[in-house]
């Protein structure tokens, strides 16, 4: 019964392009017009990030905000290096970016580009529907969405799940979309279509980006150089934890490094829950466990980008009075998993996780930048009543040959639950 209702809703909307209506009815994935080009040859064509940047300027889109994505890393790096500082903001989460784009439009009358991984669509649903939608404030913006887990493309389980419903989410929100073409000859036609929609309908338009769309571009921004790398600091931390301690590790490189360290040291993986998706929610998962297992130390291994994404979780943790909650935050000032784009947390002089934590109700906080400070901080952290925080500031970057977990997420969950129940 849902499908006929869906069709009727879309057929009554004049704001939805004809192609989009057909896509909804048939539930098929839109494939761009190849204009006679051989599909195999098209697959070899790459889009230069500079070409997209210039083409966007031609349709008067020159303000950028969002959360970096691995499929967009080359374009995001180009924007970071080349856009005026006042025209580019890397936001804590994708919903923040929609709000920023809305404010930009209200102040200038122009449309901003909001970039993100498709996993971030969930963070955007509320502001897209209750702020930007045509029947609310009708605010145009151009969404550039990395399509992780695209059907037919091998990817991690969390991305495959999201990839399968990406089109459905856009259609449910009545946001028209096109795939960003790699071929520059088609690029202006697609961008002109988006410009016309944003001008006429004053609502969001989406460009979906497939894997390997862009030619490489390396971020030239200076890196943070400190005595410890994240991987080295992580190994020291893990070695200092007790056999009964429960670990929840955050999304991205840190969990991959943790998994590989367990393999290299011949240890099992049952002691840690690897938060492969749900960026920013590791501390909430850890708190949920800590409140139910008050006789066990529960350690959240967090990252700066993830912690910033849902910073309000610190308030929940701080007000929980969970004596067994230990928060260890690795801060390298970058979104390391998606190209090394900077986070606000790299501004050590003006931003402080410690002050946020104390203001939220954490009992104590510690900061470490050297191995000796790390050892001392860990000793103090594990002895103190929680919630407590140890921020470890590290260099940016990771090994290029870093592997990925070889066990399934369900195997991880089952073994982890067995470990928790054994004591």
């Amino acid at each position: 019964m849902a499908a006929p209702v869906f069709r009727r809703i879309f057929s009554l909307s004049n704001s939805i392009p004809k192609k989009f209506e057909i896509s909804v009815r048939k539930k098929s994935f839109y494939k761009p017009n190849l204009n006679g080009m051989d599909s195999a040859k098209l697959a070899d064509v790459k889009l230069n990030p500079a070409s997209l940047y210039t083409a966007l300027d031609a349709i008067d889109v020159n303000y950028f905000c969002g959360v970096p994505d691995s499929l967009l890393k080359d374009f995001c790096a180009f924007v970071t290096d080349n856009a005026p500082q006042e025209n580019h903001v890397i936001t804590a989460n994708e919903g923040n970016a929609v709000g920023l784009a809305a404010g930009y439009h209200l102040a200038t009358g122009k449309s901003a580009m909001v970039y993100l991984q498709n996993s971030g669509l969930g963070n955007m649903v509320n502001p897209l529907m209750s702020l930007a939608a045509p029947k609310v404030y009708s605010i145009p913006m151009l969404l550039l969405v990395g399509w992780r887990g695209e059907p037919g493309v091998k990817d991690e389980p969390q991305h495959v799940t999201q990839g399968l419903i990406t089109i459905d989410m856009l259609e449910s929100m009545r946001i028209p979309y096109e795939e960003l073409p790699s071929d520059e000859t088609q690029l202006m036609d697609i961008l002109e279509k988006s410009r016309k929609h944003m001008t006429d309908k004053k609502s969001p338009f989406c460009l979906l980006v497939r894997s390997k769309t862009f030619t490489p571009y390396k971020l030239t921004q200076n890196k943070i150089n400190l005595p410890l790398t994240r991987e080295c600091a992580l190994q020291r931390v893990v070695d200092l934890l007790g056999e009964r301690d429960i670990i929840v590790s955050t999304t991205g490189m840190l969990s991959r490094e943790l998994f590989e360290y367990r393999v290299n040291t011949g240890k099992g993986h049952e002691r840690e829950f690897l938060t492969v998706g749900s960026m920013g929610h590791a501390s909430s998962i850890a708190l949920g466990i800590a409140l139910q297992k008050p006789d066990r130390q529960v350690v959240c291994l967090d990252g700066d980008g993830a912690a910033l994404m849902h910073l309000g979780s610190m308030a929940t943790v701080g007000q929980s009075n969970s004596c067994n909650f230990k928060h260890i935050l690795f801060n390298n000032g970058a979104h390391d998993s998606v190209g090394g784009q900077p986070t606000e947390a790299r501004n050590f002089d003006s931003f402080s996780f410690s002050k946020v934590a104390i203001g939220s109700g954490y009992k104590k906080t510690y900061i470490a930048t050297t191995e000796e400070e790390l050892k001392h901080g860990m000793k103090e952290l594990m002895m103190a009543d929680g919630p407590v925080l140890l921020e470890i500031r590290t260099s940016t970057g990771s090994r290029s040959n870093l592997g990925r977990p070889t066990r399934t997420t369900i195997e991880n969950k089952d073994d982890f639950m067995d470990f928790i129940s054994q004591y």
Side-chain angles (χ1 to χ4, degrees):
M1 295 300 293
V5 174
F6 227 173
R7 288 196 293 269
R8 183 166 57 183
I9 290 174
F10 276 85
S11 66
L12 291 174
S13 173
N14 293 327
S15 66
I16 306 301
K18 187 67 174 176
K19 182 277 298 179
F20 189 59
E21 291 186 82
I22 293 172
S23 174
V24 174
R25 286 196 295 269
K26 293 184 177 180
K27 286 293 179 185
S28 61
F29 296 104
Y30 170 65
K31 296 181 180 179
N33 180 7
L34 303 183
N35 292 331
M37 293 183 66
D38 180 81
S39 58
K41 291 181 179 179
L42 188 66
D44 295 330
V45 176
K46 306 294 182 185
L47 179 62
N48 191 315
S51 298
L52 175 58
Y53 185 84
T54 302
L56 288 167
D57 190 61
I59 63 167
D60 206 24
V61 174
N62 45 40
Y63 186 89
F64 306 88
C65 56
V67 178
D69 165 48
S70 56
L71 301 190
L72 309 178
K73 66 180 180 180
D74 302 299
F75 179 70
C76 290
F78 186 89
V79 170
T80 299
D81 281 347
N82 293 277
Q85 188 173 0
E86 64 272 16
N87 281 9
H88 181 214
V89 179
I90 298 175
T91 56
N93 65 52
E94 297 81 2
N96 295 161
V98 173
L100 194 63
Y104 172 79
H105 174 73
L106 293 172
T108 66
K110 297 169 61 176
S111 299
M113 168 166 276
V114 176
Y115 57 80
L116 64 144
Q117 184 180 109
N118 54 341
S119 61
L121 282 172
N123 285 334
M124 301 174 74
V125 171
N126 179 48
L128 283 174
M129 294 293 92
S130 64
L131 175 65
K135 292 187 178 180
V136 188
Y137 282 105
S138 194
I139 295 176
M141 60 190 68
L142 186 58
L143 310 180
L144 186 71
V145 179
W147 195 358
R148 291 296 301 269
E150 172 194 345
V153 177
K154 186 178 180 180
D155 212 326
E156 301 300 307
Q158 70 275 18
H159 295 308
V160 170
T161 301
Q162 180 70 42
L164 288 172
I165 65 168
T166 295
I167 296 292
D168 290 335
M169 289 184 70
L170 291 170
E171 292 178 347
S172 295
M173 291 187 287
R174 307 181 192 179
I175 297 177
Y177 61 90
E178 293 279 355
E179 292 174 10
L180 184 72
S182 298
D183 178 24
E184 293 181 16
T185 61
Q186 300 178 45
L187 180 60
M188 283 312 302
D189 289 340
I190 297 297
L191 291 183
E192 176 57 26
K193 185 174 183 178
S194 70
R195 184 204 64 77
K196 188 175 189 306
H197 172 84
M198 291 187 292
T199 300
D200 295 347
K201 306 302 180 182
K202 290 184 170 52
S203 65
F205 189 97
C206 177
L207 299 173
L208 282 172
V209 181
R210 291 177 178 269
S211 176
K212 301 178 181 178
T213 292
F214 292 106
T215 58
Y217 180 89
K218 188 172 181 60
L219 186 68
T220 60
Q221 186 165 355
N222 291 332
K223 294 184 177 181
I224 294 176
N225 293 308
L226 289 170
L228 292 169
T229 65
R230 182 191 53 241
E231 186 169 18
C232 176
L234 172 65
Q235 292 173 4
R236 300 297 178 272
V237 165
V238 171
D239 289 343
L240 291 169
L241 293 178
E243 290 296 322
R244 296 181 69 249
D245 294 344
I246 297 169
I247 302 169
V248 176
S249 64
T250 190
T251 309
M253 295 291 192
L254 188 142
S255 280
R256 291 167 60 182
E257 289 167 345
L258 176 57
F259 185 91
E260 195 160 292
Y261 185 55
R262 293 299 198 196
V263 172
N264 293 339
T265 55
K267 301 291 181 64
H269 306 282
E270 69 279 355
R271 289 173 55 193
E272 52 261 2
F273 181 84
L274 307 180
T275 313
V276 295
S278 303
M279 182 173 172
H281 294 299
S283 61
S284 295
I285 296 170
L287 178 62
I289 297 169
L291 293 173
Q292 301 305 314
K293 296 290 181 178
D295 60 332
R296 304 278 292 278
Q297 298 266 34
V298 179
V299 181
C300 175
L301 304 180
D302 216 342
D304 55 301
L308 287 171
M309 181 164 281
H310 295 293
L311 197 59
S313 299
M314 276 195 169
T316 305
V317 171
Q319 295 302 305
S320 71
N321 293 316
S322 178
C323 294
N324 58 329
F325 185 94
K326 309 300 168 71
H327 201 165
I328 303 175
L329 198 157
F330 297 81
N331 181 6
N332 68 354
H335 289 284
D336 219 11
S337 297
V338 290
Q341 303 293 322
T343 72
E344 306 291 5
R346 69 168 39 216
N347 304 316
F348 300 140
D349 293 335
S350 58
F351 180 86
S352 171
F353 279 116
S354 291
K355 290 181 179 179
V356 173
I358 290 296
S360 297
Y362 281 60
K363 301 295 189 297
K364 293 181 179 179
T365 63
Y366 311 90
I367 297 175
T369 58
T370 68
E371 188 164 349
E372 284 304 311
E373 290 173 348
L374 186 156
K375 290 179 180 177
H376 176 74
M378 281 294 296
K379 181 179 179 181
E380 294 291 323
L381 185 87
M382 300 311 288
M383 291 175 58
D385 284 341
V388 286
L389 171 74
L390 169 62
E391 177 189 352
I392 305 173
R393 295 174 178 174
T394 71
S395 296
T396 53
S398 60
R399 286 188 291 112
S400 59
N401 63 343
L402 181 63
R404 293 181 180 274
T406 54
R407 305 180 79 247
T408 70
T409 50
I410 300 301
E411 287 173 331
N412 176 215
K413 185 196 79 168
D414 289 346
D415 289 349
F416 181 73
M417 292 180 70
D418 285 344
F419 171 72
I420 292 177
S421 65
Q422 285 174 6
Y423 297 93

